[in-house]
């Protein structure tokens, strides 16, 4: 697997997500890619596998491409087009398959490379960027910012309790866990301030 395949995957992802504005845009993919590479370097994972899996991790997402979500058809076709097949392709596809929160939850990843990409994707749901993405996603689905009655189970603030506050302790690598600490603190500071302003206390 070459630098050329990584360059091609960047172009492919940029084109794939060109019209996506629900938090799954090309910038998300590029942030996950950069974070995953940092984690891979610190963990001693195979960097090419991690790089390609990070760049391709959302091209078969069930929300964006339901018809290929099971087969990972888009990622598979891209890799084949680059002449990447057999074990090399399977390593990338395994990492992609094991990223998803909804599909894998707390099940540990089966490879170090999958752990790096999963942590990088989860880190992008934390911190300032994670806050922005949560409200952008909620807006794209017509959800309320906040519902103090708790009746709207899909409000954007509810998502912090359902998922985001749990992610720090679900990191799979030591490097990912360290990076999650600061971003998790940002989420808690934000929620404290949000609730205080909502209640008219500040
Ligand atoms: P990924 O796993 O690639 O981060 P997701 O589809 O799980 O993608 O989520 C995209 C973004 O939208 C994330 O920041 C996530 O936290 C946020 N998100 C997902 N579900 C909800 C929801 N029900 N309400 C608000 N934000 C959400
Ligand atoms: Ni993602």
């Amino acid at each position: 697997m070459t630098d050329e395949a990584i360059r091609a995957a960047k172009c492919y992802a940029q084109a794939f997500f060109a019209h996506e504005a629900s938090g799954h845009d090309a910038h998300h993919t590029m942030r996950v890619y950069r974070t995953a590479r940092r984690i891979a370097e610190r963990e001693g994972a195979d960097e090419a596998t991690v790089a390609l899996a990070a760049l391709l991790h959302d091209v078969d997402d069930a929300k964006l491409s339901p018809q290929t979500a099971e087969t990972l058809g888009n990622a598979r076709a891209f890799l084949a087009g680059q002449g990447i097949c057999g074990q090399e392709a399977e390593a990338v596809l395994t990492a992609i398959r094991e990223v998803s929160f909804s599909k894998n939850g707390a099940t540990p990843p089966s490879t170090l490379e999958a752990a790096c990409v999963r942590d990088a994707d989860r880190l992008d749901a934390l911190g300032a960027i994670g806050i922005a993405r949560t409200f952008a996603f909620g807006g794209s689905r017509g959800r309320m910012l906040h519902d103090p009655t708790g009746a709207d189970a899909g409000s954007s603030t509810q998502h912090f309790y359902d998922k985001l506050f749990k992610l720090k302790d679900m990191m799979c690598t030591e490097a990912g866990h360290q990076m999650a600490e600061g971003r998790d603190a940002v989420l808690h500071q934000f929620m404290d301030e949000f609730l205080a302003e909502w209640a008219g206390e500040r």
Side-chain angles (χ1 to χ4, degrees):
M1 289 188 280
T2 62
D3 288 347
E4 184 47 40
I6 294 172
R7 255 195 302 278
K10 286 181 191 171
C11 293
Y12 177 65
Q14 305 273 0
F16 190 93
F17 298 110
H19 301 293
E20 178 54 39
S22 70
H24 262 124
D25 53 20
H27 298 288
H28 163 67
T29 286
M30 291 307 295
R31 287 190 303 269
V32 171
Y33 165 72
R34 285 191 292 271
T35 307
R37 289 204 80 148
R38 272 171 67 193
I39 298 173
E41 200 179 323
R42 286 170 58 182
E43 299 288 330
D46 183 78
E47 293 198 31
T49 301
V50 168
L52 287 172
L55 289 167
L56 299 171
H57 86 274
D58 271 338
V59 302
D60 293 296
D61 184 274
K63 291 194 261 341
L64 304 178
S65 184
Q67 69 285 6
T68 64
E70 272 306 311
T71 60
L72 303 183
N74 290 332
R76 214 176 270 283
F78 172 84
L79 294 171
Q82 295 297 312
I84 299 169
C85 45
Q87 277 187 347
E88 282 186 338
E90 284 311 315
V92 176
L93 294 167
T94 295
I96 295 172
R97 202 175 290 113
E98 294 183 5
V99 167
S100 158
F101 180 87
S102 47
K103 273 190 267 171
N104 300 287
T107 310
S110 65
T111 65
L112 179 57
E113 288 70 27
C116 295
V117 183
R118 188 193 285 192
D119 279 5
D121 193 42
R122 288 178 172 179
L123 281 162
D124 209 54
L126 300 178
I129 299 261
I131 294 168
R133 291 181 73 215
T134 297
F135 289 101
F137 182 100
S140 78
R141 300 289 192 278
R143 305 240 170 97
M144 294 172 76
L145 294 182
H146 178 58
D147 179 5
T149 69
D152 175 13
S155 74
S156 295
T157 50
Q158 186 58 40
H159 186 62
F160 284 66
Y161 300 95
D162 291 344
K163 174 176 165 186
L164 306 184
F165 289 148
K166 298 175 182 165
L167 293 178
K168 173 173 69 78
D169 294 325
M170 294 172 70
M171 291 290 146
C172 306
T173 66
E174 187 48 40
H177 193 262
Q178 280 173 15
M179 291 165 79
E181 300 269 357
R183 295 189 191 200
D184 178 73
V186 169
L187 292 186
H188 281 91
Q189 280 158 16
F190 171 83
M191 189 55 77
D192 287 350
E193 177 67 20
F194 184 101
L195 294 175
E197 290 181 15
W198 191 281
E201 291 165 8
R202 286 205 270 262

